[in-house]
Amino acid sequence: KQEVTQIPAALSVPEGENLVLNCSFTDSAIYNLQWFRQDPGKGLTSLLLIQSSQREQTSGRLNASLDKSSGRSTLYIAASQPGDSATYLCAVSDNQAGTALIFGKGTTLSVSS
Amino acid sequence: GAGVSQSPRYKVAKRGQDVALRCDPISGHVSLFWYQQALGQGPEFLTYFQNEAQLDKSGLPSDRFFAERPEGSVSTLKIQRTQQEDSAVYLCASSLFRGLLTGELFFGEGSRLTVL
């Protein structure tokens, strides 16, 4: 059964720092991987979607990489801002899970000004 | 509407009451998903609709949970005889395409259910 783990669970950084959030998954046979952002009391906003055939995706200050063979993905945030403070969730879809996305528990990021 | 809309945003129920949670997906979206998110956890899959057909309900935790999407648009998640362990945020998501092989998933803000 696919399991998704995110490290660290929480992270605090000063404004301007570059940072990396980690996601690992136990079964490398995935179709795609998505990174989401969740603000307190809100739903999820999709940040980046990486298909299994892709190595990385970029959107503004965000860059997500995917290494299927090792079961890892990283989300790189450049020049962090207080507005980046949120919980970041990683999720994978695979054949075994069918139509379900399997989520990690998230990394809660706090960026101080 | 422009996004996925869920109602009510907050619901407090006494143990044993029935509740109904509504989801209005983005117009034209084929796929609709329900997820349950407990405090401090990632969302967990409940059920999936492709248009009006419920193709996967493997995540529904018990037969007290029932979902429908009769006209392939609005969906309702019904929980009968609520229990305290049902307290969670219920998230609805929609996608333009079938399944999860392509395309992004768009989430609503969720319905927070508290069972006393």
Side-chain angles (χ1 to χ4, degrees):
Chain A
K1 181 183 172 185
Q2 179 77 264
E3 291 183 5
V4 178
T5 303
Q6 292 187 246
I7 294 173
L11 181 63
S12 293
V13 300
E15 183 176 7
E17 272 204 9
N18 302 323
L19 57 100
V20 174
L21 307 182
N22 296 293
C23 171
S24 61
F25 44 96
T26 53
D27 187 341
S28 62
I30 65 169
Y31 290 130
N32 57 48
L33 181 146
Q34 291 191 60
W35 282 93
F36 293 88
R37 168 184 173 139
Q38 186 172 34
D39 292 283
K42 302 289 187 182
L44 281 66
T45 300
S46 180
L47 297 173
L48 291 163
L49 167 67
I50 311 177
Q51 300 292 350
S52 60
S53 58
Q54 297 174 320
R55 286 280 189 161
E56 65 177 347
Q57 284 285 340
T58 298
S59 176
R61 294 182 293 108
L62 305 180
N63 175 277
S65 67
L66 174 63
D67 184 342
K68 251 185 60 170
S69 60
S70 67
R72 295 173 191 268
S73 175
T74 61
L75 178 66
Y76 175 82
I77 303 177
S80 58
Q81 302 171 357
D84 296 330
S85 299
T87 296
Y88 291 82
L89 293 155
C90 166
V92 300
S93 67
D94 65 17
N95 186 46
Q96 204 167 16
T99 51
L101 273 179
I102 309 300
F103 283 85
K105 292 184 179 181
T107 294
T108 299
L109 172 66
S110 176
V111 181
S112 56
S113 56
Chain B
V4 178
S5 177
Q6 292 188 246
S7 61
R9 289 291 319 279
Y10 304 93
K11 176 70 178 178
V12 178
K14 292 183 180 177
R15 191 160 57 101
Q17 277 186 333
D18 297 348
V19 300
L21 308 176
R22 177 188 168 103
C23 172
D24 279 272
I26 294 173
S27 179
H29 276 200
V30 169
S31 294
L32 185 145
F33 304 80
W34 283 98
Y35 282 81
Q36 180 190 58
Q37 186 175 24
L39 191 64
Q41 303 294 314
E44 293 195 357
F45 171 79
L46 293 176
T47 187
Y48 163 65
F49 289 87
Q50 185 181 115
N51 296 309
E52 70 279 3
Q54 188 175 21
L55 298 186
D56 188 346
K57 52 182 181 179
S58 62
L60 295 176
S62 77
D63 59 7
R64 295 186 295 104
F65 286 70
F66 171 77
E68 61 183 4
R69 193 187 184 197
E71 297 178 359
S73 177
V74 171
S75 176
T76 303
L77 176 67
K78 296 178 180 177
I79 308 173
Q80 297 177 324
R81 305 181 303 282
T82 52
Q83 304 294 316
Q84 284 189 321
E85 61 262 29
D86 300 335
S87 295
V89 176
Y90 290 86
L91 295 165
C92 176
S94 70
S95 173
L96 181 60
F97 302 101
R98 294 177 296 175
L100 286 170
L101 298 186
T102 57
E104 292 178 44
L105 209 53
F106 295 87
F107 279 83
E109 294 196 324
S111 291
R112 181 179 295 276
L113 172 65
T114 303
V115 181
L116 302 177

